Amino acid sequence: PSFVKGGREVPVDLWRLVEEAVEPLDLEVLEVKEAPGEVLVRLERKDERPIRVADLERASRAIEAVLDREDPIPGSYRLLVESPGPKRPLFTRRHFERFQGLKAKVPGPEGFTGRILRVEGDEVVFQVGQEEKRLRIGTFRANLAEWPEEPR
């Protein structure tokens, strides 16, 4: 089995191994992308404070140790561990609540860019032009399309 995370299929085992490595560090996995010769991991702090270089260094060592032990990726590869960055992935209820009022981009054939108005029940409500668009949490991923003035 695999998850589509970050736009590309990632083996479930790889995602879970990364989660296992960073859980004790109070970090959340936002994205895991595997490309030939490279694994990219994007993380954030569970306390929602800005992630620091020291957090990423600790996470990198922990992920490297788990991947070396389990060896889920054939051949050699470069491990990149990063902060969420300006195109931060959004996929949980808390992500959308936290960035309410900002614009997000929902990719795909029916994709759009809209302002996150609110979360109602299990839906996110976006303002797209003059219309409101509702999507059920867990059925889509989005990326932040603008950065807040203050860290959130």
Side-chain angles (χ1 to χ4, degrees):
S2 62
F3 285 141
V4 176
K5 298 281 186 178
R8 184 167 193 282
E9 281 193 9
V10 173
V12 171
D13 291 345
L14 180 57
W15 186 275
R16 287 195 183 130
L17 288 172
V18 171
E19 280 183 325
E20 172 190 317
V22 301
E23 179 71 28
L25 305 175
D26 287 328
L27 299 173
E28 180 184 356
V29 178
L30 295 177
E31 191 167 37
V32 177
K33 283 185 180 179
E34 186 180 355
E38 186 174 283
V39 175
L40 169 67
V41 176
R42 287 204 170 95
L43 304 169
E44 77 170 345
R45 291 171 55 132
K46 288 185 178 181
D47 65 9
E48 299 183 355
R49 296 179 59 189
I51 197 159
R52 302 174 315 225
V53 171
D55 297 320
L56 297 172
E57 289 171 345
R58 287 188 356 249
S60 181
R61 286 191 298 272
I63 294 166
E64 188 176 285
V66 169
L67 296 184
D68 284 351
R69 181 186 76 226
E70 298 295 328
D71 199 24
I73 302 165
S76 63
Y77 59 90
R78 182 172 56 151
L79 175 63
L80 303 171
V81 179
E82 300 180 351
S83 67
K87 293 186 179 177
R88 181 195 199 295
L90 306 170
F91 53 90
T92 69
R93 174 185 191 86
R94 179 64 192 137
H95 294 163
F96 291 103
E97 289 171 342
R98 184 174 167 194
F99 294 101
Q100 184 174 316
L102 297 177
K103 289 183 180 177
K105 181 176 183 172
V106 177
E110 309 250 338
F112 61 88
T113 298
R115 190 161 308 282
I116 304 166
L117 292 179
R118 63 191 172 277
V119 177
E120 286 182 359
D122 65 349
E123 293 183 326
V124 179
V125 182
F126 295 91
Q127 180 75 43
V128 182
Q130 299 301 315
E131 305 288 321
E132 286 189 2
K133 185 163 181 75
R134 294 171 175 268
L135 295 176
R136 203 168 102 246
I137 296 169
T139 64
F140 73 101
R141 289 177 61 91
N143 293 88
L144 207 53
E146 66 181 352
W147 200 244
E149 290 181 26
E150 296 290 321
R152 295 188 186 183

